[in-house]
Structures are given as C-alpha cells and as structure tokens.
C-alpha cells in the first residue's frame, strides 16, 4: 500500500476524506493544515493544492484536490465495498456525489454560516429561512430516493451515502427541520453515527 497523506482540519470538508479513510481501514498520515497564510496559503501547501483549499491528498505519486474526487478515488482504489463493482452502480455513486455538491452544498453552506458559524451580528435569519425553503426541493428528492431503502445505492453503505451524508452534516448543524423528510432524517442518523464517521471527527 502506498503512503497516504491527508491534508486539512477535520472540522473542514477534510472530514469527508478522513471518514472515507476510516471506513476503508486505511493507514494514513493526517496533516492538519488549517485555513490561513500559515496553512492553506503557505507556499508548501499551494504546491499541493494551488487553489489553497482543504482537503488535499497525496497517495504515492498522486496528488489530488476536491473532496468528492478524492473520495471517489479512494473508494475505487482500495478494497472495502465503498465503490460498487458494476458500472451502473458506480455511475449512481458518482451521480449522488455530483448531485450533493451542486444541489445541496451551496445552500447548506449559506445556512451553516447564517445559523451557526458567523458571529451573531453578521447572521441574516431571513436569508437562512429563505434558503431552507429552497432546499426543500432537493431534500424531497433525497427523501424519495430513500423510501424503502437503507442505503442510496445497492444493499450496503457506499461512497454515495458517505459523500451525501458528509455534506448533510451541515444541515444537522444548521438545525434544518427534517419533519417533512423522515427517510432522510433516519438515514442521516445512521450514517453519521457510524464508528468511522465518529473517528474522523476526533
Ligand atoms: N470544492 C472543494 C472546496 C474546498 C474548500 O472550499 N475548502 C475550504 C475549507 S472547508 C477551504 O479550504 N477554504 C479556504 C479558503 O477559502 O481560503 C472541495 O470539496 O474540496
């Protein structure tokens, strides 16, 4: 096995990648690069990710940025049933990974900022409420996809569940009302409660 290095703080999107590495039982080196001139803005880190963002990884000769691309690579590269072995289900995993960063992540980031991370006096509760209303459409899509199912793709937990649930963790932190999306609520609790998810947050 090549030597895997994961760059970024676990409280950032790096959580997604740490969670994947834990699910796969990989040995890895965690380099907790933080946001700022000393971390993501340093010349050393910019040579790894010229975007100056976390997460990034190095795995042997491969250097990679973008959390979803990293997780799809790790799931494909290492055994552990995180990537289905048939092309149709693999495509479904990729579909959900693109879906979550396009349909949910921007709105959830706005919600997270205006309900949890911005200082109180910089929060806009009306913007947060309006954003939550807009999120009802993609959340209904996710809820429908989970009717009668334990996992998004196939019969077991996969990179689709991990990638979507890791973004949905922001919804939980933003106190989104899940009463209209009971399947999402149950699925999310189950995913985020996995030992590997807890280990990634340490
Ligand atoms: N699309 C990228 C986004 C990465 C990203 O924006 N990461 C944030 C931390 S969660 C960051 O590094 N921000 C630094 C900055 O904006 O200067 C991914 O999913 O990896």
């Amino acid at each position: 096995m090549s030597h895997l290095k994961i760059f970024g703080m676990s409280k950032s999107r790096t959580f997604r990648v740490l969670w994947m590495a834990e699910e796969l039982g990989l040995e890895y080196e965690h380099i907790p690069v933080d946001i700022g001139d000393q971390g993501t803005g340093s010349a050393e880190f910019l040579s790894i990710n010229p975007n100056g963002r976390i997460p990034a990884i190095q795995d042997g000769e491969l250097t990679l940025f973008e959390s979803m691309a990293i997780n799809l690579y790790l799931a494909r590269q290492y055994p552990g049933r995180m990537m289905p072995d048939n092309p149709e289900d693999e495509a479904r995993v990729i579909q959900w990974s693109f879906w979550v960063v396009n349909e949910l992540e921007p709105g959830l980031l706005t919600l997270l900022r205006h309900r949890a991370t911005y200082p109180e006096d910089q929060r806009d509760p009306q913007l947060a409420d309006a954003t939550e209303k807009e999120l009802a459409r993609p959340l209904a899509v996710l809820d429908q996809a989970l009717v009668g199912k334990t996992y998004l793709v196939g019969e077991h937990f996969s990179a689709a569940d991990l990638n979507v649930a890791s973004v949905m963790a922001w919804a939980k932190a933003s106190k989104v009302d899940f009463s209209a999306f009971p399947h999402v609520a149950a699925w999310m609790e189950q995913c985020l409660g996995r030992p590997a998810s807890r280990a990634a947050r340490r």
Side-chain angles (χ1 to χ4, degrees):
M1 188 188 289
S2 54
H3 182 58
L4 174 64
K5 291 182 181 175
I6 300 177
F7 300 86
M9 304 290 286
S10 58
K11 66 175 196 281
S12 73
R13 287 174 176 89
T14 308
F15 161 65
R16 303 168 187 177
V17 175
L18 293 167
W19 183 4
M20 177 62 80
E22 292 287 339
E23 287 287 351
L24 293 167
L26 302 180
E27 279 180 28
Y28 62 90
E29 186 182 347
H30 180 203
I31 298 115
V33 173
D34 207 347
I35 296 170
D37 291 347
Q38 306 299 314
T40 50
S42 68
E44 193 187 354
F45 183 72
L46 288 170
S47 71
I48 294 162
N49 183 358
N51 298 289
R53 296 187 195 277
I54 46 176
I57 65 162
Q58 287 183 321
D59 193 22
E61 296 298 303
L62 177 70
T63 298
L64 206 57
F65 51 79
E66 284 297 329
S67 56
M68 293 293 152
I70 294 168
N71 274 0
L72 293 171
Y73 160 73
L74 292 174
R76 186 85 174 80
Q77 176 73 349
Y78 294 104
R81 302 208 312 175
M82 292 302 286
M83 185 62 85
D85 55 13
N86 68 82
E88 291 82 6
D89 278 350
E90 180 168 343
R92 291 183 180 104
V93 170
I94 296 168
Q95 166 197 277
W96 283 113
S97 304
F98 274 80
W99 177 84
V100 77
V101 290
N102 283 298
E103 300 288 340
L104 278 183
E105 192 182 67
L108 285 178
L109 188 55
T110 300
L111 264 190
L112 185 72
R113 286 173 168 160
H114 288 276
R115 289 208 178 139
T117 61
Y118 277 176
E120 293 272 0
D121 62 349
Q122 288 172 31
R123 294 184 195 173
D124 181 341
Q126 285 176 334
L127 173 63
D129 291 349
T131 304
E132 183 168 352
K133 281 203 182 84
E134 283 172 19
L135 287 171
R137 184 170 147 179
L139 286 176
V141 170
L142 185 58
D143 203 69
Q144 189 58 37
L146 288 163
V147 173
K149 294 178 69 177
T150 311
Y151 301 111
L152 276 172
V153 176
E155 300 304 316
H156 54 81
F157 184 80
S158 76
D161 300 292
L162 191 156
N163 284 345
V164 177
S166 63
V167 177
M168 283 296 291
W170 292 353
K172 216 181 153 191
S174 308
K175 303 200 170 14
V176 166
D177 177 8
F178 285 109
S179 51
F181 315 108
H183 304 94
V184 173
W187 163 88
M188 203 172 64
E189 286 305 315
Q190 187 220 86
C191 292
L192 294 173
R194 291 173 69 86
S197 169
R198 292 179 193 277
R201 268 173 269 167
R202 76 185 167 252

